[in-house]
Amino acid sequence: MTMPAIRVRAVTKNYGALTALAGVDLEIEQGEFFGLLGPNGAGKTTLISALAGLVRPDSGVLEIMGHDVVSDYREARRNLGVVPQELVFDPFFSVRELLRIQSGYFGIRNNDDWIDEVLARLDLSHKAGANMRTLSGGMKRRVLVAQALVHRPPVIVLDEPTAGVDVELRQGLWQFVRELNRDGHTIVLTTHYLEEAETLCGRIAMLKAGKLVALDTTDNLLRRFATHSLRVNVE
Ligand code: ATP
């Protein structure tokens, strides 16, 4: 059996009296397009932050491509690309400078050929020299995706990448992420939009109040719940 892309075992995270993750177990296979659904506050971002090493769990184990996120952080992080929810950038850098800095963070020098390819695939070549503060929200969102790809990670996690994005850009982003999946990348996507998960994801996990309340193939989940009740569960 091949090693899973992501392994989460008995992960718990409390913020004071608030339990954000309550003993989550999850395995995502290499090459999957996996959806993480749940209402506001369900724990999706906390789980992603824990995978990215930004939040330390109180207990449990997280692994990316077999590397423990706590004890083998560098290797785990090298295997993971994260597209965060927030559009936070240093406004004084150009797009290319930002992507070079991100490459440097992973110890990669002379990454311009790959940066150019990623920018072209995201239809951002014409903005390579532009200052971040001059970009539209949709362009910034695509720069976030480019940033996640500079070190060519096999596993890519996207935290609500289409929140506040218009229909055209949303479809463009999905097409791009689909291509990444076809190229062999494992994709994990958090979303509030059931239609999105339905169209894109082979399996879905549902989090509610920090607990995994459902985990199955998209087809089985849709069969198990009437579409209406599935909607109620995720919204
Ligand atoms: P959304 O869909 O709104 O982004 P989510 O499923 O991503 O929600 P999280 O952001 O993981 O949920 O939050 C889970 C719970 O943990 C929430 O109740 C949130 O208020 C709380 N929480 C998250 N980060 C912190 C923090 N740094 N300090 C205190 N509480 C936090």
Side-chain angles (χ1 to χ4, degrees), residues 121-122 142 166-179:
R121 284 180 69 184
L122 284 160
R142 278 179 281 157
D166 71 35
V167 177
E168 198 180 331
L169 177 55
R170 182 175 296 177
Q171 282 170 353
L173 273 176
W174 291 145
Q175 186 166 335
F176 180 68
V177 178
R178 266 197 176 122
E179 281 167 22

Side-chain angles (χ1 to χ4, degrees), residues 15 18-20 38-47 85 159-160 192:
Y15 292 109
L18 191 143
T19 299
N40 289 123
K44 305 181 295 296
T45 300
T46 304
L47 183 57
Q85 207 176 110
D159 195 359
E160 294 184 38
H192 287 272

Side-chain angles (χ1 to χ4, degrees), residues 13-16 18-21 36-49 55 85-86 159-160 190-192 207-210:
K13 176 69 189 174
N14 297 298
Y15 292 109
L18 191 143
T19 299
L21 295 173
L36 194 56
L37 268 74
N40 289 123
K44 305 181 295 296
T45 300
T46 304
L47 183 57
I48 288 179
S49 303
V55 157
Q85 207 176 110
E86 310 287 339
D159 195 359
E160 294 184 38
T190 82
T191 179
H192 287 272
L207 271 180
K208 207 169 184 179

